[in-house]
DNA sequence: GTCTATATGCCGATAGAC
DNA sequence: GTCTATCGGCATATAGAC
């Protein structure tokens, strides 16, 4: 792996673990086993390197959501697949967590890939929910865009509950609760 | 207001805006208009001051949830009151955001008030949902604890969606989606 | 391209005067 | 109780050798 690659991958790890404010160039360089000069050769500085890292993390997340939702299962099955997907719950979402970072939010450039990624996931889920409503899998009065927002929010918020308690239980409970709410009770 | 009070209140503001890692003693002192010495007279250091601030924020949040849920409305009405409560959505949750802070999570002492507060809210909501299920307001197959987790998660995650986009719409959409899911469709 | 040396300023804390 | 002075170390970046 090239030095540039090593820097991006290491930055992705540290952004996930400690956020933007909590990640110093020095920490990146030490973990990557690279000297100061290399970083400033390939990138203009910390924001530039972080931007490359965030963009890649967003791409990967979108690709993984595509894999989960591009199945021929029922709409419920695909929502379930998204919610029950294997996750390192206590690590949280590598994209969502950046929304709690003051410097990321203050920079339109750093925030853009975060925004695009989350909007993409919500949009893809909305399409699935719409199909589910059309097919009668979900209740007819549901607004796909709103339900999709609730699904993504349940996941993002589930991380908050789990991390607060130091255990994954609360995340799983929230997912179970949402799935129960999605199941129709007005027919067999 | 005493100097000690000023320090706590200012720290609460900054923790909300910038988190623990992003908040320096210097920034606190400048905003509070207090000298370095005062802080180290009243508190042993940054963690000690932050603990006092987090505890108070947790107390206030719990009290505000009590006010919202201690009504004689229907269960649905109380859940709705919690979800539609006035919020500065883009600021996010002053307690929940701390779960994204590596140093808060690394300290059992700092994490404790965060955990207790979120667990308290979830617990109170679970009681409301249980009443709703008993009264037939909510579908009988719902598990109160799970639905309560989904409700809290939707709020916490709603902040993530809103902050990512820089607008409150996504938060409101998630709340609408969850409320629609809570409404029974199997009876008039 | 990668390294080390160096620079300025902030971080978190301590010392000690008043 | 509150202040200023001072400390060692890290944050972020630049300079320039190789």
């Amino acid at each position: 792996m090239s030095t540039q690659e090593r820097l991006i991958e290491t930055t992705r790890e540290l952004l996930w673990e400690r956020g933007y404010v909590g990640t110093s160039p020095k920490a990146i360089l030490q973990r990557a086993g690279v000297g100061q000069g290399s970083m400033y050769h390939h990138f203009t500085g910390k924001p530039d390197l972080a931007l490359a890292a965030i963009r890649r993390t967003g791409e990967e997340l979108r690709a993984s959501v595509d894999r989960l939702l591009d199945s021929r299962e029922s709409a419920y099955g695909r929502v379930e697949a998204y919610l029950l997907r294997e996750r390192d719950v206590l690590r949280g979402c590598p994209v969502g967590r950046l929304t709690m970072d003051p410097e990321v939010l203050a920079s339109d450039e750093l925030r853009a890939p975060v925004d695009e990624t989350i909007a993409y996931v919500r949009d893809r889920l909305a399409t699935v929910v719409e199909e589910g409503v059309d097919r009668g899998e979900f209740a007819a009065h549901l607004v796909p865009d709103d339900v999709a927002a609730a699904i993504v929010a349940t996941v993002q918020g589930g991380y908050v509950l789990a991390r607060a308690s130091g255990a994954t239980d609360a995340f799983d409970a929230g997912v179970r609760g949402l799935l129960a709410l999605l199941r129709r009770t007005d027919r067999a």
Side-chain angles (χ1 to χ4, degrees), chain A:
Chain A
M1 192 161 48
S2 71
T3 299
Q4 191 169 8
E5 277 303 302
R6 292 185 58 74
L7 285 168
I8 293 176
E9 289 303 314
T10 305
T11 302
R12 299 212 302 142
E13 286 176 25
L14 280 166
L15 285 180
W16 195 356
E17 290 171 23
R18 305 190 42 87
Y20 182 84
V21 169
T23 297
S24 70
K26 189 180 184 181
I28 296 168
L29 297 170
Q30 282 181 344
R31 190 181 286 197
V34 165
Q36 200 104 350
S38 296
M39 168 176 151
Y40 286 100
H41 172 74
H42 293 290
F43 303 95
T44 66
K46 176 179 167 178
D48 189 39
L49 172 53
L51 181 59
I54 294 172
R55 279 184 176 148
R56 180 169 303 175
T57 298
E59 284 164 18
E60 287 198 3
L61 189 59
R62 292 193 292 272
S64 113
V65 167
D66 282 340
R67 282 192 297 277
L68 281 167
L69 299 185
D70 281 344
S71 84
R72 249 168 252 147
E73 268 188 89
S74 65
Y76 182 90
R78 278 175 285 166
V79 170
E80 192 178 33
Y82 170 75
L83 287 169
L84 296 181
R85 162 197 184 191
E86 266 190 79
R87 285 185 170 87
D88 202 338
V89 168
L90 290 180
R91 291 184 80 190
C93 173
V95 173
R97 80 145 294 152
L98 297 172
T99 62
M100 293 303 142
D101 214 296
E103 319 241 327
V104 172
L105 273 266
S107 156
D108 284 337
E109 237 190 330
L110 291 178
R111 188 171 56 77
V114 175
D115 185 19
E116 287 160 18
T117 301
I118 292 182
Y120 181 84
V121 175
R122 185 179 162 197
D123 206 60
R124 289 238 35 182
L125 280 167
T127 305
V128 174
V129 172
E130 191 175 15
E131 284 175 26
V133 170
D134 288 347
R135 293 177 192 166
E137 281 184 57
F138 297 138
H141 73 289
L142 296 179
V143 177
D145 238 34
D146 291 353
V147 173
I151 294 170
V152 179
T154 298
V155 169
Q156 294 293 331
Y159 292 131
V160 172
L161 304 199
R163 287 168 64 90
S165 65
T168 60
D169 307 38
F171 181 96
D172 298 330
V175 166
R176 280 196 309 270
L178 184 66
L179 284 172
L181 288 168
L182 280 166
R183 277 191 286 272
R184 293 193 76 161
T185 54
D186 56 348
R187 50 171 218 169

